[in-house]
Amino acid sequence: MRWSSRPGVTRDPDPAASMAVLEEVLDPPVGPGYHSAAEARVSVGLPPSPGSRTWLMLLTALALGFLITVSAVTLRTPDPAAAETRAQLIERIESAEDEGDEQSLRLETLRADILLLEQRQALAAEGPVAEREITESGVLVGAGTVEGPGVVVALADATRAVDAAPGDEADPERVNARDIQLVVNGLWAAGAEVVAVNDQRLTSMSAIRFAGEAIIVDFRTIAPPYEVRAIGDPVRLETEATTGATGAYLRELRQQLGLQTEVSVRENITIGPAERLSTRVGTVPDPEQTEENR
């Protein structure tokens, strides 16, 4: 086939020219700007392509990352000297606690010996009447060990919140100082002669406080589970702790808050003397002297 741009004139097309145009469309050459940049880099002594510089930056970044990783691992490695110092400090604290327990036990032994000597002296001077008075006074002020029947009321924190859904992370209820105070007061009102909370003998000068999440009895922290022991008429004490006002309060703690409570009768309960014994002596004033002072 022949063709021409002019009417009536035809000629054969050039296949080579057509292929050159097609190759230029499909594979365009690099722009003149790239050639100029390459020539400028060669003229100043640099390679025509920045590829080698890219590799250098990559190697530098890898080396820097390795150094940072090594530094972090080194800093997190425990210091042997610090660990040894901490272990020595813990050992000293435990040793001091053991020594304090030994001193407390020795103090209780000496206190019992002194009480026995005072009783013997009083008996020698006054006779059987003084013995009975001293014994009764010792029980009242918490100076001696007491044994007898009674009840034990155990309280423990809830294992989970009562209204918590499955998987809920709500904190369960805890036994607080008010709960123990109400139980102790109820047992006193029911005729308990001696009451102790977790082996802490209560007297007329005792205090049950709540500091943060800890319960303190006479300046000593006690830990759950809590056990209130009372010596007295077991029938009256059990009735108060199960069906009386104290029992109703314990039932509310179980049903509403999920706390764990248990009341048990014991044939023999032993409660030791109070650790922080403090006694005060009072006398009845003479009416005649009182009138004169007025």
Side-chain angles (χ1 to χ4, degrees):
M1 177 178 179
R2 298 174 180 273
W3 59 276
S4 175
S5 59
R6 296 181 181 180
V9 180
T10 61
R11 62 185 180 86
D12 294 333
D14 186 0
S18 300
M19 291 300 296
V21 173
L22 182 60
E23 290 178 356
E24 184 177 358
V25 172
L26 297 178
D27 188 16
V30 178
Y34 291 97
H35 290 289
S36 301
E39 293 177 356
R41 292 177 60 84
V42 172
S43 63
V44 296
L46 297 176
S49 174
S52 59
R53 183 178 180 183
T54 302
W55 281 104
L56 180 60
M57 294 178 62
L58 179 60
L59 292 176
T60 303
L62 291 176
L64 182 60
F66 176 75
L67 291 176
I68 293 175
T69 303
V70 171
S71 300
V73 173
T74 302
L75 291 175
R76 293 180 62 88
T77 302
D79 187 3
E84 183 178 359
T85 302
R86 182 174 180 274
Q88 293 178 356
L89 181 60
I90 293 175
E91 183 178 358
R92 291 175 58 186
I93 293 174
E94 293 178 350
S95 177
E97 291 179 349
D98 294 340
E99 184 177 357
D101 294 338
E102 293 178 359
Q103 295 295 335
S104 298
L105 181 59
R106 182 182 178 188
L107 177 63
E108 294 302 324
T109 303
L110 293 175
R111 181 180 296 167
D113 294 341
I114 293 173
L115 179 62
L116 181 60
L117 292 175
E118 291 177 348
Q119 289 179 349
R120 289 177 178 177
Q121 291 178 357
L123 291 176
E126 301 294 339
V129 177
E131 180 182 4
R132 184 175 62 255
E133 293 179 353
I134 291 175
T135 302
E136 294 177 353
S137 299
V139 173
L140 293 176
V141 301
T145 301
V146 181
E147 296 183 4
V151 298
V152 176
V153 180
L155 299 95
D157 298 335
T159 56
R160 60 183 297 271
V162 175
D163 54 351
D168 192 356
E169 297 181 356
D171 294 334
E173 292 291 337
R174 297 175 178 268
V175 178
N176 58 35
R178 179 173 175 80
D179 300 330
I180 297 180
Q181 287 174 358
L182 290 174
V183 173
V184 169
N185 291 336
L187 294 176
W188 281 127
E193 299 176 4
V194 182
V195 179
V197 179
N198 283 28
D199 295 329
Q200 297 297 311
R201 173 81 169 269
L202 301 182
T203 66
S204 59
M205 305 296 293
S206 298
I208 302 175
R209 297 184 177 90
F210 194 56
E213 296 183 355
I215 297 178
I216 300 176
V217 178
D218 286 344
F219 304 101
R220 180 180 289 271
T221 303
I222 59 176
Y226 307 102
E227 188 178 77
V228 181
R229 296 181 297 160
I231 295 177
D233 185 355
V235 176
R236 292 181 58 188
L237 296 179
E238 183 186 17
T239 302
E240 173 62 25
T242 54
T243 60
T246 304
Y249 183 77
L250 294 176
R251 186 164 52 253
E252 290 296 322
L253 293 181
R254 292 192 301 269
Q255 297 177 356
Q256 302 297 329
L257 303 179
L259 299 181
Q260 306 175 61
T261 65
E262 182 181 358
V263 179
S264 59
V265 178
R266 304 286 178 85
E267 295 182 357
N268 186 27
I269 298 176
T270 302
I271 298 179
E275 292 187 1
R276 299 181 178 272
L277 185 60
S278 177
T279 59
R280 297 180 181 180
V281 179
T283 58
V284 180
D286 188 354
E288 296 180 359
Q289 294 181 356
T290 304
E291 292 294 336
E292 293 177 357
N293 294 333
R294 291 180 181 179

